[in-house]
């Protein structure tokens, strides 16, 4: 039998409420990984399953420290006899942790993130089946080499493309435009496509020796925008700014002047988009003249992660732009 380790970080999948009808107002991360595994003993039919508590947080409070700890631990476990990892997580920032691990785990062995929208104590809680299916996906030879995967609600998505699309429903994780990778059909993981961008064993990024990550902030563009937040970022000497622009990463003329000052101060500026679909491509000549980079089709929150990792390697703008085309 394969060895699968479940690394628990908290979230609603480990949430507890006094009332079985409550789907809000519960405490995230209240149930330990051992109790979660005991509640779904069927996971042991597919692998030798062991649990490890990394932290017990609501994922809205996710930190760079937890990411570094998780990536380091997974890389360490994969040098031993662990064949696959399941990470239990809150849904709010799950896609960010998944993408961070997609770029920093150096193995083709499966890493699967799962979660729940309803607390473990709720009627029709989704966590138990999600956990069981995540173990099935982690134990499947078909999952090897596919990068970090997100398995919830009988669907399998790629870390790079998946996003939380609904604040409430259990069918919240989708890969808009590019689509899911596969399903867990009646207990069997089946894949139909793969994500083609560089990941895991083919990634140039590493957490080895890192104790913190570069500081990259997201600034959200809007009608009536001004230089306020960009100037605050310059004063705080951040390392990078993701500008979540309108349309094709369009930058408000008032913010643009401030962003040009940011670049002159050595801050890397990447244009992303608040639209949610499509690719940000070179547009205005002034963006090129101001040395703003293009964030490809990454969401602002994922562009932030790629820029953080890029800045651990280089401040060369040509090289960072190359990374946005490859990951
Ligand atoms: N706020 C919770 C979390 O992200 C939501 C959830 O898990 O569904 O930890």
């Amino acid at each position: 039998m394969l060895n699968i380790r479940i690394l628990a970080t908290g979230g609603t999948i480990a949430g507890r409420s006094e009332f079985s009808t409550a789907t809000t107002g519960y405490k995230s991360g209240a149930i330990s990984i051992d109790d979660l595994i005991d509640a779904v003993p069927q996971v042991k039919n597919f692998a030798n399953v062991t649990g490890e508590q990394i932290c017990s947080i609501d994922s809205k409070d996710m930190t760079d420290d937890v990411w570094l700890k998780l990536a380091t631990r997974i890389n360490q476990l994969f040098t031993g006899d662990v064949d696959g990892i399941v990470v239990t997580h809150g849904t709010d920032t799950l896609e960010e942790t998944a993408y961070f691990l997609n770029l920093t785990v150096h193995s083709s062995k499966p890493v699967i993130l799962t979660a729940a929208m309803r607390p473990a104590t709720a009627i029709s809680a989704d966590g138990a089946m999600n956990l069981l299916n995540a173990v099935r996906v982690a134990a499947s030879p078909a999952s090897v080499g596919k990068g970090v995967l997100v398995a919830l609600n009988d669907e399998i998505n790629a870390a790079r493309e998946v996003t939380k699309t609904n604040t409430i429903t259990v069918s919240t994780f989708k890969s808009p435009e590019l689509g899911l990778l596969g399903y867990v059909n009646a207990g069997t993981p089946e894949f139909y496509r793969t994500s083609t961008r560089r990941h895991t064993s083919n990634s140039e990024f590493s957490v080895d020796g890192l104790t913190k990550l570069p500081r990259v902030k997201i600034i959200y563009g809007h009608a009536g925008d001004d230089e306020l937040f960009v100037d605050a970022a310059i004063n705080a000497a951040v390392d990078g700014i993701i500008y979540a622009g309108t349309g094709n990463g369009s930058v408000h003329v008032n913010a643009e002047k401030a962003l040009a000052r940011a670049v002159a101060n050595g801050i890397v500026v990447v244009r992303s988009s608040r639209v949610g679909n499509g690719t940000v491509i070179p547009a205005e000549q002034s963006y090129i003249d101001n040395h703003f980079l293009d964030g490809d089709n990454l969401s602002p929150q994922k562009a932030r992660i790629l820029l953080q990792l890029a800045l651990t390697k280089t401040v060369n703008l040509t090289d960072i732009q190359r990374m946005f085309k490859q990951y």
Side-chain angles (χ1 to χ4, degrees), residues 96-156:
E96 292 171 60
T97 301
Y99 189 51
F100 182 79
L101 297 176
N102 197 48
L103 300 178
T104 54
V105 169
H106 290 144
S107 172
S108 56
K109 294 180 185 177
V111 177
I112 319 300
L113 275 82
T114 195
M117 288 297 282
R118 297 181 181 143
T121 46
I123 298 170
S124 287
D126 48 333
M129 186 58 90
N130 284 346
L131 186 65
L132 178 61
N133 280 344
V135 170
R136 285 167 158 149
V137 177
S140 167
S143 305
V144 172
K146 296 227 166 33
V148 172
L149 302 171
V150 172
L152 277 98
N153 203 38
D154 300 343
E155 294 179 347
I156 308 167

Short mmCIF file of all heavy atoms in Angstrom, two decimals, residues 96-156:
data_model
loop_
_atom_site.label_atom_id
_atom_site.label_comp_id
_atom_site.label_asym_id
_atom_site.label_seq_id
_atom_site.Cartn_x
_atom_site.Cartn_y
_atom_site.Cartn_z
N GLU A 96 -4.28 30.05 -3.49
CA GLU A 96 -2.97 30.69 -3.37
C GLU A 96 -1.93 29.69 -2.83
O GLU A 96 -0.82 29.58 -3.36
CB GLU A 96 -3.07 31.92 -2.47
CG GLU A 96 -3.88 33.03 -3.12
CD GLU A 96 -4.17 34.18 -2.17
OE1 GLU A 96 -3.22 34.80 -1.67
OE2 GLU A 96 -5.36 34.45 -1.92
N THR A 97 -2.32 28.97 -1.77
CA THR A 97 -1.40 27.96 -1.23
C THR A 97 -1.09 26.90 -2.29
O THR A 97 0.06 26.47 -2.45
CB THR A 97 -2.01 27.30 0.02
OG1 THR A 97 -2.26 28.32 0.99
CG2 THR A 97 -1.09 26.25 0.61
N ALA A 98 -2.13 26.51 -3.04
CA ALA A 98 -1.93 25.48 -4.08
C ALA A 98 -0.92 25.97 -5.12
O ALA A 98 -0.01 25.22 -5.52
CB ALA A 98 -3.27 25.15 -4.74
N TYR A 99 -1.04 27.22 -5.55
CA TYR A 99 -0.12 27.74 -6.58
C TYR A 99 1.29 27.90 -6.00
O TYR A 99 2.28 27.60 -6.68
CB TYR A 99 -0.65 29.06 -7.14
CG TYR A 99 0.12 29.56 -8.34
CD1 TYR A 99 0.36 28.75 -9.44
CD2 TYR A 99 0.62 30.87 -8.38
CE1 TYR A 99 1.07 29.21 -10.55
CE2 TYR A 99 1.32 31.34 -9.48
CZ TYR A 99 1.55 30.50 -10.56
OH TYR A 99 2.26 30.96 -11.64
N PHE A 100 1.37 28.34 -4.74
CA PHE A 100 2.70 28.46 -4.12
C PHE A 100 3.39 27.08 -4.10
O PHE A 100 4.57 26.97 -4.47
CB PHE A 100 2.57 29.02 -2.69
CG PHE A 100 3.89 29.21 -2.01
CD1 PHE A 100 4.70 30.31 -2.30
CD2 PHE A 100 4.36 28.28 -1.10
CE1 PHE A 100 5.93 30.47 -1.69
CE2 PHE A 100 5.60 28.43 -0.48
CZ PHE A 100 6.38 29.54 -0.78
N LEU A 101 2.66 26.06 -3.70
CA LEU A 101 3.25 24.71 -3.64
C LEU A 101 3.55 24.19 -5.05
O LEU A 101 4.54 23.47 -5.26
CB LEU A 101 2.32 23.75 -2.89
CG LEU A 101 2.07 24.09 -1.42
CD1 LEU A 101 1.06 23.12 -0.80
CD2 LEU A 101 3.38 24.07 -0.61
N ASN A 102 2.72 24.55 -6.01
CA ASN A 102 2.93 24.15 -7.41
C ASN A 102 4.29 24.62 -7.92
O ASN A 102 4.90 24.02 -8.79
CB ASN A 102 1.80 24.78 -8.25
CG ASN A 102 1.61 24.16 -9.60
OD1 ASN A 102 1.55 22.94 -9.74
ND2 ASN A 102 1.51 24.98 -10.63
N LEU A 103 4.76 25.74 -7.36
CA LEU A 103 6.03 26.33 -7.81
C LEU A 103 7.20 25.96 -6.92
O LEU A 103 8.35 26.21 -7.29
CB LEU A 103 5.89 27.87 -7.84
CG LEU A 103 4.81 28.44 -8.77
CD1 LEU A 103 4.77 29.96 -8.67
CD2 LEU A 103 5.04 28.02 -10.20
N THR A 104 6.95 25.37 -5.74
CA THR A 104 8.05 25.17 -4.79
C THR A 104 8.23 23.73 -4.32
O THR A 104 9.21 23.44 -3.63
CB THR A 104 7.86 26.07 -3.54
OG1 THR A 104 6.57 25.82 -2.99
CG2 THR A 104 8.01 27.54 -3.88
N VAL A 105 7.31 22.83 -4.66
CA VAL A 105 7.51 21.41 -4.35
C VAL A 105 8.26 20.79 -5.52
O VAL A 105 7.84 20.92 -6.67
CB VAL A 105 6.15 20.68 -4.13
CG1 VAL A 105 6.36 19.18 -4.07
CG2 VAL A 105 5.48 21.18 -2.86
N HIS A 106 9.37 20.15 -5.22
CA HIS A 106 10.21 19.60 -6.30
C HIS A 106 10.04 18.10 -6.42
O HIS A 106 10.98 17.33 -6.13
CB HIS A 106 11.67 19.97 -6.07
CG HIS A 106 11.91 21.43 -6.26
ND1 HIS A 106 12.77 22.17 -5.53
CD2 HIS A 106 11.32 22.31 -7.11
CE1 HIS A 106 12.73 23.44 -5.91
NE2 HIS A 106 11.85 23.54 -6.87
N SER A 107 8.88 17.68 -6.82
CA SER A 107 8.63 16.24 -6.96
C SER A 107 7.47 16.06 -7.91
O SER A 107 6.59 16.92 -8.01
CB SER A 107 8.26 15.66 -5.59
OG SER A 107 7.85 14.31 -5.75
N SER A 108 7.46 14.91 -8.59
CA SER A 108 6.30 14.62 -9.44
C SER A 108 5.24 13.84 -8.65
O SER A 108 4.18 13.51 -9.19
CB SER A 108 6.73 13.86 -10.69
OG SER A 108 7.42 12.71 -10.29
N LYS A 109 5.53 13.52 -7.38
CA LYS A 109 4.52 12.80 -6.58
C LYS A 109 3.31 13.71 -6.33
O LYS A 109 3.46 14.93 -6.20
CB LYS A 109 5.13 12.38 -5.24
CG LYS A 109 6.25 11.33 -5.37
CD LYS A 109 6.80 10.99 -3.98
CE LYS A 109 7.98 10.05 -4.06
NZ LYS A 109 8.56 9.77 -2.73
N PRO A 110 2.13 13.11 -6.20
CA PRO A 110 0.91 13.93 -6.07
C PRO A 110 0.84 14.76 -4.78
O PRO A 110 1.16 14.26 -3.70
CB PRO A 110 -0.22 12.89 -6.10
CG PRO A 110 0.37 11.69 -6.74
CD PRO A 110 1.82 11.67 -6.36
N VAL A 111 0.42 16.00 -4.94
CA VAL A 111 0.07 16.88 -3.81
C VAL A 111 -1.34 17.38 -4.11
O VAL A 111 -1.57 18.03 -5.13
CB VAL A 111 1.03 18.07 -3.68
CG1 VAL A 111 0.58 19.00 -2.54
CG2 VAL A 111 2.46 17.61 -3.46
N ILE A 112 -2.27 17.08 -3.21
CA ILE A 112 -3.68 17.40 -3.45
C ILE A 112 -4.19 18.29 -2.32
O ILE A 112 -4.05 17.93 -1.14
CB ILE A 112 -4.56 16.12 -3.45
CG1 ILE A 112 -3.88 14.96 -4.18
CG2 ILE A 112 -5.95 16.43 -3.98
CD1 ILE A 112 -3.55 15.17 -5.62
N LEU A 113 -4.76 19.42 -2.66
CA LEU A 113 -5.40 20.25 -1.64
C LEU A 113 -6.90 20.00 -1.64
O LEU A 113 -7.51 19.87 -2.72
CB LEU A 113 -5.13 21.75 -1.88
CG LEU A 113 -3.80 22.22 -1.30
CD1 LEU A 113 -2.65 21.88 -2.23
CD2 LEU A 113 -3.81 23.70 -0.99
N THR A 114 -7.46 19.92 -0.44
CA THR A 114 -8.90 19.80 -0.34
C THR A 114 -9.41 20.64 0.81
O THR A 114 -8.64 21.17 1.60
CB THR A 114 -9.35 18.33 -0.24
OG1 THR A 114 -10.76 18.27 -0.50
CG2 THR A 114 -9.07 17.72 1.13
N ALA A 115 -10.74 20.79 0.86
CA ALA A 115 -11.35 21.72 1.83
C ALA A 115 -12.83 21.38 1.93
O ALA A 115 -13.28 20.35 1.42
CB ALA A 115 -11.16 23.15 1.31
N ALA A 116 -13.58 22.25 2.57
CA ALA A 116 -15.03 22.09 2.65
C ALA A 116 -15.66 23.46 2.76
O ALA A 116 -15.04 24.39 3.26
CB ALA A 116 -15.42 21.23 3.84
N MET A 117 -16.88 23.55 2.28
CA MET A 117 -17.62 24.81 2.44
C MET A 117 -18.52 24.77 3.66
O MET A 117 -18.93 25.80 4.17
CB MET A 117 -18.45 25.10 1.18
CG MET A 117 -17.62 25.52 -0.03
SD MET A 117 -16.75 27.08 0.25
CE MET A 117 -18.08 28.26 0.00
N ARG A 118 -18.87 23.54 4.11
CA ARG A 118 -19.72 23.41 5.29
C ARG A 118 -18.90 22.83 6.43
O ARG A 118 -18.12 21.88 6.22
CB ARG A 118 -20.90 22.49 5.00
CG ARG A 118 -21.81 23.06 3.93
CD ARG A 118 -22.99 22.14 3.66
NE ARG A 118 -23.83 22.69 2.63
CZ ARG A 118 -24.46 21.96 1.70
NH1 ARG A 118 -24.35 20.66 1.70
NH2 ARG A 118 -25.21 22.56 0.79
N PRO A 119 -19.07 23.35 7.65
CA PRO A 119 -18.30 22.82 8.77
C PRO A 119 -18.60 21.34 9.01
O PRO A 119 -19.67 20.85 8.63
CB PRO A 119 -18.75 23.69 9.95
CG PRO A 119 -20.04 24.33 9.53
CD PRO A 119 -19.99 24.43 8.04
N ALA A 120 -17.65 20.66 9.63
CA ALA A 120 -17.76 19.21 9.82
C ALA A 120 -19.01 18.82 10.60
O ALA A 120 -19.51 17.70 10.46
CB ALA A 120 -16.50 18.70 10.51
N THR A 121 -19.52 19.74 11.41
CA THR A 121 -20.69 19.44 12.25
C THR A 121 -22.03 19.69 11.54
O THR A 121 -23.09 19.44 12.12
CB THR A 121 -20.64 20.33 13.51
OG1 THR A 121 -20.34 21.67 13.10
CG2 THR A 121 -19.58 19.86 14.50
N ALA A 122 -22.00 20.16 10.29
CA ALA A 122 -23.25 20.52 9.60
C ALA A 122 -23.91 19.32 8.94
O ALA A 122 -23.24 18.36 8.54
CB ALA A 122 -22.96 21.58 8.52
N ILE A 123 -25.22 19.38 8.80
CA ILE A 123 -25.95 18.41 7.98
C ILE A 123 -25.40 18.51 6.56
O ILE A 123 -25.18 19.61 6.06
CB ILE A 123 -27.46 18.76 7.94
CG1 ILE A 123 -28.07 18.71 9.33
CG2 ILE A 123 -28.21 17.84 6.98
CD1 ILE A 123 -29.48 19.30 9.37
N SER A 124 -25.19 17.38 5.89
CA SER A 124 -24.64 17.39 4.53
C SER A 124 -23.29 18.09 4.44
O SER A 124 -23.00 18.76 3.45
CB SER A 124 -25.59 18.05 3.53
OG SER A 124 -26.67 17.23 3.27
N ALA A 125 -22.47 17.93 5.45
CA ALA A 125 -21.11 18.49 5.39
C ALA A 125 -20.39 17.86 4.21
O ALA A 125 -20.52 16.66 3.96
CB ALA A 125 -20.37 18.21 6.68
N ASP A 126 -19.63 18.67 3.46
CA ASP A 126 -18.95 18.17 2.25
C ASP A 126 -17.53 17.69 2.53
O ASP A 126 -16.88 17.09 1.67
CB ASP A 126 -18.96 19.24 1.15
CG ASP A 126 -18.53 20.62 1.63
OD1 ASP A 126 -18.70 20.94 2.83
OD2 ASP A 126 -18.02 21.40 0.81
N GLY A 127 -17.02 17.92 3.74
CA GLY A 127 -15.62 17.64 4.02
C GLY A 127 -15.25 16.17 3.97
O GLY A 127 -14.19 15.82 3.46
N ALA A 128 -16.11 15.29 4.50
CA ALA A 128 -15.74 13.87 4.59
C ALA A 128 -15.52 13.27 3.20
O ALA A 128 -14.50 12.64 2.94
CB ALA A 128 -16.82 13.11 5.37
N MET A 129 -16.46 13.50 2.28
CA MET A 129 -16.30 12.97 0.92
C MET A 129 -15.12 13.64 0.21
O MET A 129 -14.39 13.00 -0.54
CB MET A 129 -17.60 13.14 0.12
CG MET A 129 -17.57 12.48 -1.24
SD MET A 129 -17.25 10.71 -1.20
CE MET A 129 -18.93 10.06 -1.10
N ASN A 130 -14.94 14.94 0.45
CA ASN A 130 -13.80 15.63 -0.17
C ASN A 130 -12.47 15.04 0.31
O ASN A 130 -11.54 14.87 -0.49
CB ASN A 130 -13.86 17.13 0.13
CG ASN A 130 -14.90 17.85 -0.71
OD1 ASN A 130 -15.40 17.30 -1.69
ND2 ASN A 130 -15.24 19.07 -0.33
N LEU A 131 -12.40 14.74 1.61
CA LEU A 131 -11.15 14.16 2.14
C LEU A 131 -10.91 12.77 1.54
O LEU A 131 -9.80 12.46 1.10
CB LEU A 131 -11.23 14.09 3.68
CG LEU A 131 -9.95 13.64 4.37
CD1 LEU A 131 -8.83 14.66 4.17
CD2 LEU A 131 -10.19 13.42 5.86
N LEU A 132 -11.97 11.96 1.52
CA LEU A 132 -11.84 10.62 0.95
C LEU A 132 -11.40 10.70 -0.52
O LEU A 132 -10.46 10.01 -0.95
CB LEU A 132 -13.19 9.89 1.06
CG LEU A 132 -13.27 8.49 0.48
CD1 LEU A 132 -12.29 7.54 1.16
CD2 LEU A 132 -14.70 7.94 0.60
N ASN A 133 -12.04 11.58 -1.29
CA ASN A 133 -11.68 11.71 -2.71
C ASN A 133 -10.26 12.27 -2.90
O ASN A 133 -9.54 11.87 -3.81
CB ASN A 133 -12.68 12.60 -3.45
CG ASN A 133 -13.95 11.85 -3.80
OD1 ASN A 133 -13.95 10.61 -3.76
ND2 ASN A 133 -15.00 12.56 -4.13
N ALA A 134 -9.85 13.16 -2.00
CA ALA A 134 -8.49 13.70 -2.11
C ALA A 134 -7.46 12.59 -1.89
O ALA A 134 -6.44 12.52 -2.59
CB ALA A 134 -8.29 14.83 -1.11
N VAL A 135 -7.75 11.69 -0.94
CA VAL A 135 -6.84 10.56 -0.72
C VAL A 135 -6.84 9.65 -1.95
O VAL A 135 -5.79 9.17 -2.40
CB VAL A 135 -7.22 9.79 0.56
CG1 VAL A 135 -6.46 8.47 0.67
CG2 VAL A 135 -6.97 10.66 1.80
N ARG A 136 -8.02 9.44 -2.52
CA ARG A 136 -8.08 8.62 -3.75
C ARG A 136 -7.24 9.25 -4.86
O ARG A 136 -6.54 8.56 -5.60
CB ARG A 136 -9.53 8.52 -4.23
CG ARG A 136 -10.39 7.58 -3.41
CD ARG A 136 -11.85 7.79 -3.75
NE ARG A 136 -12.68 6.65 -3.40
CZ ARG A 136 -13.97 6.76 -3.04
NH1 ARG A 136 -14.54 7.94 -2.98
NH2 ARG A 136 -14.67 5.68 -2.76
N VAL A 137 -7.33 10.56 -5.01
CA VAL A 137 -6.56 11.24 -6.07
C VAL A 137 -5.06 11.15 -5.76
O VAL A 137 -4.25 10.90 -6.64
CB VAL A 137 -7.02 12.71 -6.25
CG1 VAL A 137 -6.17 13.43 -7.30
CG2 VAL A 137 -8.49 12.77 -6.63
N ALA A 138 -4.72 11.33 -4.48
CA ALA A 138 -3.29 11.27 -4.10
C ALA A 138 -2.72 9.88 -4.32
O ALA A 138 -1.53 9.72 -4.60
CB ALA A 138 -3.13 11.69 -2.63
N ALA A 139 -3.57 8.85 -4.20
CA ALA A 139 -3.09 7.46 -4.35
C ALA A 139 -3.15 6.98 -5.80
O ALA A 139 -2.71 5.87 -6.10
CB ALA A 139 -3.94 6.54 -3.47
N SER A 140 -3.65 7.81 -6.70
CA SER A 140 -3.82 7.37 -8.09
C SER A 140 -2.55 7.60 -8.91
O SER A 140 -2.01 8.71 -8.94
CB SER A 140 -4.97 8.15 -8.73
OG SER A 140 -4.96 7.95 -10.13
N PRO A 141 -2.06 6.59 -9.63
CA PRO A 141 -0.89 6.78 -10.51
C PRO A 141 -1.15 7.86 -11.56
O PRO A 141 -0.23 8.52 -12.03
CB PRO A 141 -0.69 5.42 -11.17
CG PRO A 141 -1.63 4.48 -10.52
CD PRO A 141 -2.61 5.23 -9.67
N ALA A 142 -2.44 8.07 -11.90
CA ALA A 142 -2.77 9.07 -12.92
C ALA A 142 -2.47 10.49 -12.45
O ALA A 142 -2.38 11.41 -13.27
CB ALA A 142 -4.26 8.96 -13.28
N SER A 143 -2.30 10.69 -11.15
CA SER A 143 -2.05 12.05 -10.62
C SER A 143 -0.57 12.43 -10.65
O SER A 143 -0.23 13.60 -10.44
CB SER A 143 -2.55 12.14 -9.18
OG SER A 143 -3.89 11.77 -9.09
N VAL A 144 0.30 11.43 -10.90
CA VAL A 144 1.75 11.69 -10.87
C VAL A 144 2.14 12.64 -12.01
O VAL A 144 1.68 12.49 -13.14
CB VAL A 144 2.53 10.36 -10.98
CG1 VAL A 144 4.03 10.61 -11.14
CG2 VAL A 144 2.25 9.48 -9.77
N GLY A 145 2.92 13.67 -11.67
CA GLY A 145 3.45 14.58 -12.69
C GLY A 145 2.48 15.64 -13.17
O GLY A 145 2.76 16.37 -14.11
N LYS A 146 1.32 15.75 -12.55
CA LYS A 146 0.32 16.72 -13.01
C LYS A 146 0.40 18.06 -12.28
O LYS A 146 -0.44 18.93 -12.48
CB LYS A 146 -1.08 16.13 -12.87
CG LYS A 146 -1.30 14.90 -13.75
CD LYS A 146 -2.59 14.99 -14.49
CE LYS A 146 -2.77 14.00 -15.62
NZ LYS A 146 -2.18 12.70 -15.52
N GLY A 147 1.38 18.21 -11.40
CA GLY A 147 1.46 19.45 -10.61
C GLY A 147 0.53 19.35 -9.42
O GLY A 147 -0.18 18.35 -9.24
N VAL A 148 0.50 20.41 -8.64
CA VAL A 148 -0.36 20.40 -7.46
C VAL A 148 -1.82 20.49 -7.92
O VAL A 148 -2.16 21.25 -8.82
CB VAL A 148 0.01 21.57 -6.52
CG1 VAL A 148 -1.00 21.71 -5.39
CG2 VAL A 148 1.42 21.32 -5.95
N LEU A 149 -2.66 19.64 -7.31
CA LEU A 149 -4.06 19.53 -7.73
C LEU A 149 -5.00 19.94 -6.60
O LEU A 149 -4.63 19.85 -5.42
CB LEU A 149 -4.38 18.08 -8.13
CG LEU A 149 -3.51 17.51 -9.26
CD1 LEU A 149 -3.76 16.01 -9.42
CD2 LEU A 149 -3.78 18.24 -10.57
N VAL A 150 -6.19 20.38 -6.98
CA VAL A 150 -7.21 20.77 -6.02
C VAL A 150 -8.42 19.87 -6.26
O VAL A 150 -8.95 19.84 -7.37
CB VAL A 150 -7.59 22.26 -6.21
CG1 VAL A 150 -8.79 22.65 -5.36
CG2 VAL A 150 -6.38 23.14 -5.86
N ALA A 151 -8.79 19.08 -5.25
CA ALA A 151 -9.89 18.12 -5.42
C ALA A 151 -10.99 18.41 -4.42
O ALA A 151 -10.81 18.27 -3.21
CB ALA A 151 -9.37 16.69 -5.25
N LEU A 152 -12.13 18.84 -4.94
CA LEU A 152 -13.32 19.11 -4.12
C LEU A 152 -14.55 18.82 -4.98
O LEU A 152 -14.49 18.99 -6.20
CB LEU A 152 -13.43 20.59 -3.75
CG LEU A 152 -12.68 21.15 -2.57
CD1 LEU A 152 -11.42 21.80 -3.06
CD2 LEU A 152 -13.52 22.16 -1.84
N ASN A 153 -15.64 18.45 -4.31
CA ASN A 153 -16.92 18.38 -5.00
C ASN A 153 -16.85 17.49 -6.24
O ASN A 153 -17.43 17.81 -7.28
CB ASN A 153 -17.35 19.82 -5.39
CG ASN A 153 -18.84 19.94 -5.59
OD1 ASN A 153 -19.61 19.33 -4.87
ND2 ASN A 153 -19.23 20.72 -6.58
N ASP A 154 -16.09 16.37 -6.14
CA ASP A 154 -15.94 15.38 -7.22
C ASP A 154 -15.19 15.90 -8.44
O ASP A 154 -15.22 15.27 -9.50
CB ASP A 154 -17.30 14.83 -7.68
CG ASP A 154 -18.07 14.14 -6.57
OD1 ASP A 154 -17.44 13.80 -5.54
OD2 ASP A 154 -19.29 13.96 -6.72
N GLU A 155 -14.54 17.07 -8.32
CA GLU A 155 -13.82 17.63 -9.47
C GLU A 155 -12.36 17.84 -9.13
O GLU A 155 -12.00 18.11 -7.99
CB GLU A 155 -14.45 18.96 -9.89
CG GLU A 155 -15.87 18.79 -10.41
CD GLU A 155 -16.55 20.09 -10.82
OE1 GLU A 155 -16.05 21.18 -10.48
OE2 GLU A 155 -17.61 20.00 -11.45
N ILE A 156 -11.50 17.72 -10.17
CA ILE A 156 -10.06 17.92 -9.98
C ILE A 156 -9.64 19.11 -10.86
O ILE A 156 -9.90 19.13 -12.07
CB ILE A 156 -9.26 16.67 -10.40
CG1 ILE A 156 -9.82 15.40 -9.72
CG2 ILE A 156 -7.77 16.85 -10.08
CD1 ILE A 156 -9.29 14.10 -10.31
#
